[in-house]
């Protein structure tokens, strides 16, 4: 993308992000999934990083999120509660490390402290002389809301700091003078502990169940649930929500000086252990990683166990472990250089649709496949997704060049669920339906009320390949050991044209093929021979006749058996029989209507002995 195109895209992204921000924060209407909004913000951030002179103070990337409510007293933070930059891939993480190296003008590959990124609400706790005096939300980053009364209902927040034993501090690596200073700060100074208030998945589900039963609106996610629970005027409501608090930062001050990072406590992992000693909950998964490769291992491990954790997390926060470096690296824009939120990819993502290609299926149907800008959805990178058929393209109103939302649910292949039409620049192109088959250039046709366009060429290589591949596949006759590659080789070499030809393959035919020896040929023939005895209805199903599923196949098998009194049937016997039946005879069977009968007729019309 050149700078002019970049500028156009940046303008569109800003408009779109701002529109949904306004709806959500001012009108209380969620008009875009927060994950998708994050995607767009991250694209905007990358573009602004490529063209820094296009950054404007009103860009959504310059915002520290959060508003201060009038309901509570305001509280100014001793140092601002800033935000974090987001990374979504290993490449983003390497880029971050490189940016820091460039900034420091030296190779910078530090140890990192990796923490779970809890999905709740940030809270600042202020302990004066060891006693909890204030609890405040982040608010707009500079000024938050004083919610001290409410946070005192959270049982994992100590109302006064635990006084450690010297030995405990020695054990985490503090030196005698540091221990002495720390005791002074706990007893006489000010210690601010920042962290995340979270609601367990269990409580969240219980509240939503109750809301459903009482016809009340359900809470969108645990984060919103925490915010709602903390901003209650009646603390009893907060108390009933069983909230938890986990510490992720400690700021030390005397009554007239905030200590620099790295003073007294030199490492982030030590600060985390100290929080535990002072009486806070800490996460036992948090860990020091020697390099980015170790960070990636940590990330994968956490992603795997994510569903089994009691609370929601949305990634890992990767922090430079040496706290002195925090001062050196400092802050840029809205977030620090010394840490990064390495987020899990959502089950949904926004990406660009570059092109549409048409794939020929086993029944000759042409399926549109979207070629996408690669994007991570639910942990895997996808670059293709099905658009199903023409109706789906019409329904979505999608064009080439559009920004689309792809979604995956469970193990299902990802699909395009929405088009972000407001991001169009006017350069998007209509998706044209093909006039000929992309495989064989044969004629294609859309018949009757069908949604699919089909290749009409009976000998279309792609159609044959797919129909035979279906025949041998696990869901049909399961010729374990005879995959699409071999089928392709057989068709290319003229051994077979349809599934029934499989049964007339001879050993010498196989031996004439590349990479075929005696043993391999014998194995394949044995496999085919065994499958000749497969049940009649599975063979009929495996033929892949359009509209003939397993149940219709059972009905056809019954009809065949009533009229053919043999013990063993060959596929050619089946073709022979059905090619001679007419549609009326087929429709005499209960449950078979004109659509199915004409499809059966169509399939068998060129088969049988007259072939
Ligand atoms: S450090 C500069 N560590 O994520 C902010 N934040 O997306 C320093 N969060 O506002 C935050 N878990 O509320 C840090 N282990 C963790 C965290 C964490 C969750 C939240 C935090 C922050 C938000 C940024």
């Amino acid at each position: 993308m050149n700078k002019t195109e970049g500028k156009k895209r940046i303008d569109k992204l800003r408009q779109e992000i701002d529109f949904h921000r306004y709806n959500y924060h001012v009108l209380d209407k969620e008009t875009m999934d927060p994950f998708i909004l994050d995607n767009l913000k991250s694209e905007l951030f990358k573009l602004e990083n490529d063209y820094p002179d296009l950054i404007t103070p009103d860009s959504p990337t310059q915002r520290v999120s959060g508003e201060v409510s009038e309901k509570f007293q305001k509280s100014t933070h001793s140092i601002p509660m800033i935000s974090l930059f987001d990374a979504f891939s290993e490449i983003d993480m390497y880029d971050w490390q490189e940016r820091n190296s460039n900034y420091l003008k030296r190779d910078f590959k530090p140890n990192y402290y990796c923490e779970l990124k809890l999905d709740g609400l940030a809270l600042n706790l202020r302990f004066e002389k060891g006693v909890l005096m204030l609890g405040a939300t982040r608010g707009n980053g500079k000024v938050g809301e004083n919610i001290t009364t409410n946070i005192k209902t959270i049982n994992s927040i100590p109302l006064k700091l635990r006084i450690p034993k010297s030995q405990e501090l020695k054990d985490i690596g503090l030196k005698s003078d540091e221990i002495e200073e720390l005791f002074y700060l706990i007893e006489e100074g000010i210690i601010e502990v920042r962290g995340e208030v979270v609601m367990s998945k269990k409580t969240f589900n219980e509240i939503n169940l109750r809301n459903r039963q009482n016809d009340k609106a359900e809470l969108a996610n645990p984060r919103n649930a925490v915010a709602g629970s903390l901003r209650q005027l009646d603390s009893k409501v907060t108390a009933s929500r069983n909230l938890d608090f986990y510490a992720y930062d400690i700021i030390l001050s005397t009554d007239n000086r905030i200590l620099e990072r790295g003073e007294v406590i030199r490492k982030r992992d030590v600060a985390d252990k100290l929080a535990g000693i002072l009486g806070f909950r800490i996460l036992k998964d948090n860990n020091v990683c020697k390099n980015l490769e170790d960070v990636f291992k940590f990330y994968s491990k956490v992603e795997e166990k994510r569903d089994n954790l009691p609370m929601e997390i949305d990634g890992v926060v990767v922090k430079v472990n040496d706290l002195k470096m925090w001062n050196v690296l400092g802050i840029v824009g809205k977030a620090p250089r010394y840490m990064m939120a390495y987020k899990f990819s959502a089950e949904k993502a926004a990406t660009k649709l570059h092109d549409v290609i048409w794939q020929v299926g086993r029944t000759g149907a042409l399926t549109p496949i979207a070629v996408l800008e690669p994007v991570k959805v639910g942990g895997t990178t996808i670059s293709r997704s099905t658009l199903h058929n023409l109706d789906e393209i019409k329904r979505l109103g999608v064009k080439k060049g559009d920004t689309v939302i792809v979604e995956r649910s469970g193990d299902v292949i990802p699909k395009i669920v929405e088009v972000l039409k407001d991001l169009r620049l006017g350069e998007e192109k209509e998706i044209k339906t093909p006039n000929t088959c992309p495989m064989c250039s044969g004629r294609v046709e859309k018949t009757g009320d069908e949604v699919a366009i089909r290749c009409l060429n009976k000998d279309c290589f792609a159609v044959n390949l797919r129909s035979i591949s279906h025949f041998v596949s696990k869901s049909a006759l399961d010729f374990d050991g005879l995959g699409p590659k071999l089928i392709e080789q057989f068709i290319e070499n003229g051994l077979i044209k349809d599934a029934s030809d499989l049964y007339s393959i001879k050993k010498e035919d196989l031996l004439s093929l590349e990479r075929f020896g005696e043993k391999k040929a014998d194995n394949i023939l044995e496999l085919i021979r065994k499958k000749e005895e497969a049940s009649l209805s599975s063979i009929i199903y495996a033929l892949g006749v359009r509209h003939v599923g397993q149940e219709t196949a059972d009905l056809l098998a019954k009809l065949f058996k009533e009229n053919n009194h043999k013990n063993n049937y060959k596929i050619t016997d089946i073709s022979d029989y059905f090619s001679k039946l007419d549609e009326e005879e087929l429709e005499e069977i209960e449950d078979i209507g004109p659509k199915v009968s004409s499809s059966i007729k169509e399939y068998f019309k060129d088969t049988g002995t007259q072939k």
Side-chain angles (χ1 to χ4, degrees), residues 89-333:
S89 65
E90 295 187 359
I91 294 175
D92 289 350
M93 292 298 287
Y94 281 121
D95 284 352
W96 169 52
Q97 184 166 266
E98 199 178 306
R99 276 202 302 280
N100 282 341
S101 295
N102 292 340
Y103 179 74
L104 297 171
K105 298 197 176 66
R106 69 176 167 90
D107 201 23
F108 181 63
K109 290 187 176 145
N111 282 352
Y112 293 104
Y113 191 60
C114 290
E115 301 176 18
L116 304 190
K117 187 173 185 308
L118 301 167
D119 198 8
L121 207 77
L123 184 67
N124 184 46
L125 300 173
R126 187 179 162 94
F127 292 86
E128 293 175 16
K129 297 188 177 173
V131 180
L132 176 64
M133 301 302 284
L134 173 76
T137 63
R138 182 166 78 169
N140 62 16
K142 291 194 179 88
V143 181
E145 296 150 359
N146 179 336
I147 50 164
T148 315
T149 319
N150 288 350
I151 56 107
K152 282 187 173 172
T153 68
I154 301 174
N155 286 316
S156 44
I157 295 180
L159 300 183
K160 64 177 180 355
L161 295 175
R162 176 178 172 271
I163 307 289
K165 299 189 179 70
S166 293
Q167 189 57 43
E168 288 175 307
L169 299 175
K170 253 189 220 151
D171 289 347
I172 61 169
L174 297 193
K175 299 192 186 115
S176 315
D177 55 335
E178 291 165 342
I179 294 177
E180 207 171 298
E181 186 150 8
L182 195 62
F183 274 123
Y184 168 76
L185 290 167
I186 297 172
E187 281 157 12
E188 297 298 326
I190 298 164
I191 296 192
E192 285 186 80
V193 177
R194 291 181 173 178
E196 200 82 350
V197 182
V198 297
M199 180 183 279
S200 72
K201 292 177 192 165
K202 186 167 168 275
T203 310
F204 176 75
N205 292 333
E206 280 165 8
I207 294 178
N208 265 348
L209 179 70
R210 233 186 0 251
N211 283 3
R212 255 197 316 276
Q213 284 165 349
N214 297 334
D215 269 347
K216 281 214 233 142
E218 287 185 51
L219 301 165
N221 52 47
R223 189 172 3 129
N224 289 0
V226 172
S229 308
L230 280 179
R231 295 161 104 210
Q232 294 285 335
L233 288 176
D234 179 358
S235 315
K236 281 203 207 78
V237 181
T238 315
S240 72
R241 301 285 166 90
N242 291 321
L243 301 173
D244 259 324
F245 175 81
Y246 291 88
Y248 58 61
D249 196 12
I250 299 185
I251 300 161
L252 307 170
S253 355
T254 61
D255 51 6
N256 58 17
R257 186 175 81 90
I258 300 174
L259 270 63
E260 278 207 0
R261 299 291 190 170
E263 258 188 274
V264 184
I265 310 293
R266 281 164 287 130
K267 296 281 155 68
R268 177 58 210 134
D269 66 317
V270 176
D272 204 13
K273 287 183 194 124
L274 175 63
I277 294 172
L278 293 177
F280 292 91
R281 260 186 182 216
I282 49 168
L283 293 155
K284 58 180 186 327
D285 292 283
N286 295 355
N287 214 345
V288 180
C289 289
K290 286 197 306 297
N291 49 38
L292 281 187
E293 291 69 37
D294 276 2
V295 169
F296 302 151
K297 282 186 204 144
F298 178 91
Y299 174 92
S300 306
K301 221 172 65 195
V302 172
E303 193 171 30
E304 257 171 44
K305 67 187 290 189
R306 177 182 183 185
D307 289 344
N308 300 324
L309 289 172
M311 72 303 234
E312 289 289 349
I313 59 169
D314 59 348
V316 166
V317 184
V318 184
K319 305 179 177 179
V320 171
N321 198 31
D322 180 351
L323 294 177
K324 279 223 153 68
M325 284 311 294
W326 289 25
N327 308 316
V328 182
L329 285 163
I331 288 165
V332 53

Side-chain angles (χ1 to χ4, degrees), residues 283-402:
L283 293 155
K284 58 180 186 327
D285 292 283
N286 295 355
N287 214 345
V288 180
C289 289
K290 286 197 306 297
N291 49 38
L292 281 187
E293 291 69 37
D294 276 2
V295 169
F296 302 151
K297 282 186 204 144
F298 178 91
Y299 174 92
S300 306
K301 221 172 65 195
V302 172
E303 193 171 30
E304 257 171 44
K305 67 187 290 189
R306 177 182 183 185
D307 289 344
N308 300 324
L309 289 172
M311 72 303 234
E312 289 289 349
I313 59 169
D314 59 348
V316 166
V317 184
V318 184
K319 305 179 177 179
V320 171
N321 198 31
D322 180 351
L323 294 177
K324 279 223 153 68
M325 284 311 294
W326 289 25
N327 308 316
V328 182
L329 285 163
I331 288 165
V332 53
K334 58 155 199 165
R337 289 193 184 86
Y338 46 83
M339 53 174 92
M340 180 59 87
Y342 186 7
K343 294 251 197 104
F344 296 135
S345 60
E347 301 291 303
K348 274 186 190 183
T351 191
K352 272 231 164 144
L353 171 80
H354 291 308
D355 200 2
V356 171
I357 52 171
W358 296 80
Q359 202 174 58
V360 191
R362 66 185 165 83
T363 58
L366 268 56
T367 309
I369 306 290
V371 181
L372 305 165
E373 176 67 27
V375 65
K376 237 179 163 193
V377 186
T380 44
T381 303
I382 64 148
S383 53
R384 302 258 161 136
S385 128
T386 176
L387 273 164
H388 301 293
N389 51 45
L390 277 178
D391 276 11
E392 182 70 355
I393 292 177
K394 266 196 219 132
R395 190 185 69 77
L396 289 164
V398 64
K399 294 181 180 184
K400 284 188 206 173
D402 266 334

